[in-house]
Amino acid sequence: MKRSAAYPYLAWLAVFTIIPLILVLYYAFTSVSDGAVKFSPDNFVRAFEPMYLIVMWRSFVLALAATAICFLIGYPAAYILARKVGEKKSTLLFLLLVPMWMNFLLRTYSWLTILERNGIINNALFALGLPKMDLLYTREAVVLGMVYNFLSFMILPIYTALSKIDASLIEAAQDLGAGKMNVFFRVIFPLSLPGVVSGVTMVFLPAITTFVIPNLLGGGKDALIGSLIEQQFLRVGDWRFGSAVSVVIMGLIVIAMSLFYAVDSDEGEGGLF
Amino acid sequence: MTENNDNKLIELRNVHKSFGKTVVLTDISLYVKKNEFVTLLGPSGCGKTTTLRIIGGFERPTRGDISFDGKSVLNLPPYQRHVNTVFQKYALFPNMNVFENVAFGLKIRGRQSAEINEKVKAMLKLVKLDGYDKRTVLSLSGGQQQRVAIARALVNEPEALLLDEPLGALDLKLRKEMQIELKNMQVKLGITFVYVTHDQEEALAMSDTVAVMNNGEIQQIGAPEDIYNEPKNAFVAGFIGESNIMGGVMREDYVVSFGGDTFKCVDKGFEKNEDVDVVIRPEDVDLIDAKEARIKGVIKNVTFKGVHYEMRVQAENDYVWTVQNTVMSPVGAAVGIRVEPDLIHVMRRAAG
Ligand SMILES: Nc1ncnc2c1ncn2[C@@H]1O[C@H](COP(=O)(O)OP(=O)(O)O)[C@@H](O)[C@H]1O
Ligand SMILES: [Mg+2]
C-alpha cells in the first residue's frame, strides 16, 4: 500500500484517539488552585483512596466473572457452530446475531421486565406457589447483563478460529492414535487460542468499563468504574478526577491484557505439554 | 512373492463407496502383502484418495469389507488401526515444533520421555533432519515438511504406511530424489507401503505392484513390467506410457484389421468381427521404405528426447502415429510403418 493511502487513517487516529487521549491526560495530571491550572498528582492520590480501589476491584471481579461465563458458554457454542454445515449453520449464526441488531439500551431494558419484582420470572414463581426473589439490582443481574450483551463477542472470534482449522489436522491426529479428548486438547484447542484471546479481550474490555448495565440492572447500588467515571463527568462535573480514574483503569487494563497475552504466547509454544 | 493367503496384510473385498448419489468407488478388490510397495495409480478424481481413506479409517465403505491380517476392521476408528498416513498436504501441526510433531503419536500412546526422545532423534536422522528439532514447521521448505510428515508417521512403526501423493508438491528434481529415498527407506525398514500417485513414471519406478484405477474402478493390477508390457485395456495402455491406440476389428483368431488394412497378430479368443482397440507402443514401430510398407505416411514433426527421437507420422488414413526411434527421419519424408505381429496388442473395448 502506498504511504499516502494511510493518511486518512492517521488523521482519523489523530482526531479521535490521540487528541482525546492527550486531553484526558492533561485533565488527569492538573488541578486548579487559586484560579491557576498547575501540574499536580492530587487526582491520582484521590483515585487510590480505598473507597475507589474497592470500586475498581469490584469492576475487575465482575468483568472477569462475565468473561469467564462467556467463555464457558461461548466456546462450546462456537464449537458446535463450527462443526455444523449448510443451512443449519446459517440459521444458528443468524439467531446469534439478531439480538445484536437491537439497540443496546433496549436489550438491557428488556431484562428489567424479566427480572423485576413483578417480572416474568417472579410471576412464574408466584404461579407455582414459590416465594418471589430479589433478582434485579444485584451483582448477579449485572453479570447476567454483561454476559447477555457481550456473549457474541466471545463466540464469533472463537468460531472463526475453529472454522479455520484444517480438517486434515484433525485426521492426522486421529491417524496418530488420538481419541476425541486428545484431538481436542492437543490440536483443536491450542489452534483456537487466537480466537479465545480475541474473544476474552472483546468481552473483558467493554465489561469492565460499562456503565449502562450496572446503572440499569445494578440499580446504581454498587458503583462500578464505568458508573464512577460517568458520574464525575456528567453529574459531579469533576473532569479532572474522572480523567484520572480513566487513566488508572486504562493502566490496569494494559497490565491485565499484557499478562494475559504473555501466558497465551507461552502456550502457543507448546506449553500445553 | 509367493501366493499365500496368510500374507495379506490389508485386503479390500468388493468395496463400493458413494457420497449421496455420487458413486465414487465400484467393486474395488485389492490386497497388499507384507513388505509390499503397492501403488494406486490413476488420473485425478478416479478415487485413489477415497480408497486410501477407507484403508486409514476416515471413510466407511458403502458396501464391501476391509480387513487387516484377515480380521475385518470395518468398525475400527482410525486411531485403532495400525497404519499411519502421510497426508497429501502434510497436515503438520502448526502449534508444535518439528520434534513435537514427530513425537505426537508416541506421546499419545504414553511412551516414556527417554524412549520418545531416542526414537524421535533416530527418526529425524533417518529423514536427514537432525538438528531441526526446535524449528517451527512453517519455517521449513516443502521438501523438509514432507520429511517431517514421513518421520511423524514412521516413528510409530506402523504395519503399513499410507502415502497420498506425497511428492506431488515438490519440484521435479527433488521429486526424483525423494522417490529413490522413499524406496530405499521402504526396503531398509521393511515396511509395507500403500502409495497413491497420478504419475505413471513414479508408479513404475517405485512399486512392486501397481493398481491402475479409472472412474472408481480398478482396471488392472500387476507388476510394473506386466502393466507396461501387457496392458489389459486401452485405458491402461494410454495411461501407462505413450501409445498409439486405434479402433479396429478382430476378423478371426490372429487376424485384426486397423488403419485400413488387415494384419497378423498373436491375439485370439474374440468374437468374429468384434470391435476392438489396437494398441502399439511408439518404440515398437519400425520405419521402413514407403514402397515396401502397407501403411504409408509422412513425417510431420520430430522432437529429440535425449535417447531417441520422437516423430509424428501422418498416415494416409488420417491417424497420426507416434514413433520413437534412435534414427531420425526428416520432416516431410515419406515413410512406411511396420509393426511385428507380437507387438500389436489387441484389447477388448471397455463397456460403455
Ligand atoms: N466427501 C466427499 N463428498 C462428495 N464427493 C467426494 C468426497 N470425497 C471425494 N469425492 C469425489 O470422489 C471422487 C474421487 O475423489 P478422490 O478419491 O479424491 O480422487 P483422487 O484422489 O483419485 O483424485 C471425486 O469425484 C470427488 O469429487
Ligand atoms: Mg487424491
Side-chain angles (χ1 to χ4, degrees):
Chain A
M1 197 171 34
K2 274 202 200 134
R3 274 191 74 98
S4 57
Y7 289 157
Y9 301 101
L10 289 178
W12 175 276
L13 213 62
V15 172
F16 293 104
T17 306
I18 309 225
I19 294 175
L21 196 65
I22 290 172
L23 283 176
V24 167
L25 286 171
Y26 165 78
Y27 280 117
F29 281 102
T30 53
S31 59
V32 187
S33 58
D34 309 332
V37 177
K38 64 173 179 30
F39 174 83
S40 124
D42 292 353
N43 300 317
F44 287 97
V45 173
R46 197 177 146 208
F48 283 107
E49 280 170 13
M51 180 179 137
Y52 298 116
L53 282 181
I54 287 173
V55 173
M56 285 180 211
W57 176 246
R58 189 188 297 135
S59 308
F60 183 79
V61 169
L62 291 191
L64 205 62
T67 308
I69 294 170
C70 279
F71 172 74
L72 291 177
I73 300 173
Y75 199 100
Y79 188 81
I80 292 165
L81 205 56
R83 312 207 92 199
K84 287 256 186 300
V85 282
E87 220 168 273
K88 266 194 203 150
K89 179 187 210 138
S90 327
T91 314
L92 280 174
L93 263 175
F94 179 75
L95 288 177
L96 186 72
L97 289 175
V98 160
M100 295 301 116
W101 299 348
M102 216 176 14
N103 179 282
F104 181 86
L105 273 175
L106 215 62
R107 249 186 290 153
T108 310
Y109 263 121
S110 68
W111 278 103
L112 283 175
T113 62
I114 298 175
L115 298 176
E116 70 195 351
R117 199 100 199 131
N118 286 314
I120 295 171
I121 293 182
N122 274 324
N123 282 340
L125 285 177
F126 184 73
L128 292 170
L130 297 166
K132 288 194 175 185
M133 295 194 295
D134 281 323
L135 299 170
L136 203 56
Y137 308 136
T138 58
R139 286 184 193 173
E140 288 76 12
V142 174
V143 172
L144 177 75
M146 290 175 177
V147 170
Y148 177 70
N149 275 307
F150 305 135
L151 181 60
S152 54
F153 297 154
M154 182 68 83
I155 295 179
L156 288 178
I158 295 176
Y159 163 74
T160 307
L162 285 171
S163 309
K164 276 197 292 199
I165 297 175
D166 193 338
S168 71
L169 293 178
I170 293 164
E171 293 192 343
Q174 292 173 334
D175 186 79
L176 293 164
K180 284 199 171 77
M181 281 295 174
N182 272 317
V183 169
F184 181 77
F185 285 107
R186 289 174 192 262
V187 179
I188 297 177
F189 188 71
L191 290 177
S192 69
L193 276 179
V196 174
V197 170
S198 310
V200 166
T201 311
M202 287 169 64
V203 172
F204 184 74
L205 291 191
I208 200 169
T209 50
T210 178
F211 62 89
V212 171
I213 295 171
N215 284 0
L216 289 181
L217 300 179
K221 251 195 336 198
D222 283 333
L224 294 191
I225 281 288
S227 352
L228 177 65
I229 297 171
E230 184 228 17
Q231 260 173 24
Q232 297 306 317
F233 276 91
L234 300 184
R235 297 184 206 177
V236 183
D238 190 346
W239 286 30
R240 291 171 206 285
F241 181 56
S243 295
V245 175
S246 304
V247 170
V248 170
I249 201 70
M250 228 158 30
L252 287 179
I253 288 171
V254 168
I255 291 168
M257 282 297 143
S258 49
L259 283 178
F260 177 60
Y261 289 134
V263 170
D264 169 64
S265 65
D266 278 354
E267 285 188 352
E269 284 159 23
L272 276 175
F273 283 98
Chain B
M1 254 178 233
T2 50
E3 271 298 327
N4 179 353
N5 280 350
D6 308 330
N7 237 346
K8 292 177 184 170
L9 183 65
I10 299 171
E11 184 171 20
L12 279 74
R13 272 188 307 272
N14 312 107
V15 165
H16 294 249
K17 179 71 189 173
S18 316
F19 292 104
K21 287 211 176 85
T22 327
V23 178
V24 173
L25 295 178
T26 316
D27 205 23
I28 300 285
S29 291
L30 167 81
Y31 62 86
V32 179
K33 288 180 283 186
K34 216 168 175 43
N35 296 351
E36 200 180 14
F37 193 128
V38 174
T39 298
L40 303 175
L41 171 68
S44 170
C46 73
K48 307 180 296 292
T49 297
T50 306
T51 308
L52 206 66
R53 288 170 61 80
I54 285 175
I55 299 174
F58 298 108
E59 302 286 358
R60 201 188 148 85
T62 314
R63 265 188 290 145
D65 194 15
I66 168 167
S67 55
F68 289 3
D69 282 323
K71 282 190 284 283
S72 174
V73 293
L74 259 188
N75 296 316
L76 284 192
Y79 64 91
Q80 286 176 355
R81 299 192 181 192
H82 297 284
V83 295
N84 285 114
T85 307
V86 175
F87 289 85
Q88 203 158 3
K89 295 204 182 83
Y90 318 141
L92 299 177
F93 305 121
N95 55 318
M96 301 176 204
N97 64 26
V98 170
F99 183 96
E100 290 163 342
N101 262 279
V102 179
F104 189 89
L106 298 174
K107 266 192 183 136
I108 297 279
R109 296 204 159 81
R111 299 296 164 80
Q112 297 299 311
S113 68
E115 183 196 345
I116 293 177
N117 209 33
E118 188 185 324
K119 284 199 167 150
V120 171
K121 289 263 154 76
M123 197 46 72
L124 285 177
K125 192 157 181 186
L126 182 80
V127 297
K128 306 207 178 93
L129 281 177
D130 21 358
Y132 282 74
D133 313 35
K134 293 277 178 285
R135 289 276 293 271
T136 62
V137 290
L138 297 178
S139 72
L140 301 180
S141 70
Q144 290 168 332
Q145 291 189 21
Q146 177 61 68
R147 287 160 196 268
V148 176
I150 291 168
R152 185 179 68 174
L154 278 182
V155 79
N156 303 292
E157 295 164 14
E159 287 188 41
L161 191 65
L162 315 178
L163 303 101
D164 192 355
E165 313 228 7
L167 309 182
L170 307 181
D171 63 55
L172 186 64
K173 187 165 167 292
L174 195 54
R175 198 154 74 218
K176 296 272 178 206
E177 283 172 24
M178 283 297 288
Q179 283 176 12
I180 297 168
E181 265 184 52
L182 271 179
K183 181 66 193 175
N184 287 344
M185 214 181 277
Q186 186 255 338
V187 173
K188 196 165 113 194
L189 299 176
I191 289 187
T192 311
F193 270 38
V194 184
Y195 193 95
V196 161
T197 183
H198 64 262
D199 178 343
Q200 46 101 7
E201 243 178 272
E202 190 167 294
L204 296 183
M206 299 172 82
S207 322
D208 300 317
T209 303
V210 177
V212 184
M213 293 179 67
N214 189 35
N215 281 330
E217 285 179 285
I218 293 185
Q219 304 292 318
Q220 185 170 3
I221 303 181
E225 293 83 355
D226 297 341
I227 300 255
Y228 187 85
N229 292 326
E230 300 294 333
K232 236 163 91 181
N233 58 36
F235 173 80
V236 177
F239 196 73
I240 310 278
E242 268 187 279
S243 284
N244 296 290
I245 304 175
M246 286 159 275
V249 178
M250 199 67 183
R251 295 298 170 200
E252 56 188 81
D253 282 356
Y254 310 119
V255 179
V256 61
S257 299
F258 65 89
D261 210 329
T262 301
F263 301 86
K264 269 199 251 170
C265 66
V266 296
D267 298 280
K268 63 181 167 88
F270 293 85
E271 303 279 318
K272 232 175 169 38
N273 293 326
E274 182 177 336
D275 284 336
V276 292
D277 286 318
V278 177
V279 174
I280 298 165
R281 296 282 182 198
E283 67 269 27
D284 292 342
V285 178
D286 295 327
L287 291 184
I288 56 170
D289 192 335
K291 284 189 288 274
E292 294 167 19
R294 291 160 65 191
I295 301 173
K296 302 181 205 324
V298 177
I299 306 273
K300 296 272 287 181
N301 164 297
V302 180
T303 318
F304 181 55
K305 291 275 185 158
V307 195
H308 57 254
Y309 295 91
E310 186 167 291
M311 292 161 276
R312 308 251 167 226
V313 181
Q314 173 80 61
E316 284 171 348
N317 72 336
D318 261 11
Y319 186 80
V320 181
W321 289 68
T322 303
V323 178
Q324 290 172 354
N325 206 306
T326 48
V327 181
M328 187 196 76
S329 302
V331 173
V335 293
I337 281 174
R338 186 184 64 195
V339 185
E340 297 296 334
D342 62 331
L343 297 174
I344 297 172
H345 304 288
V346 179
M347 290 164 198
R348 284 223 154 73
R349 280 270 167 89

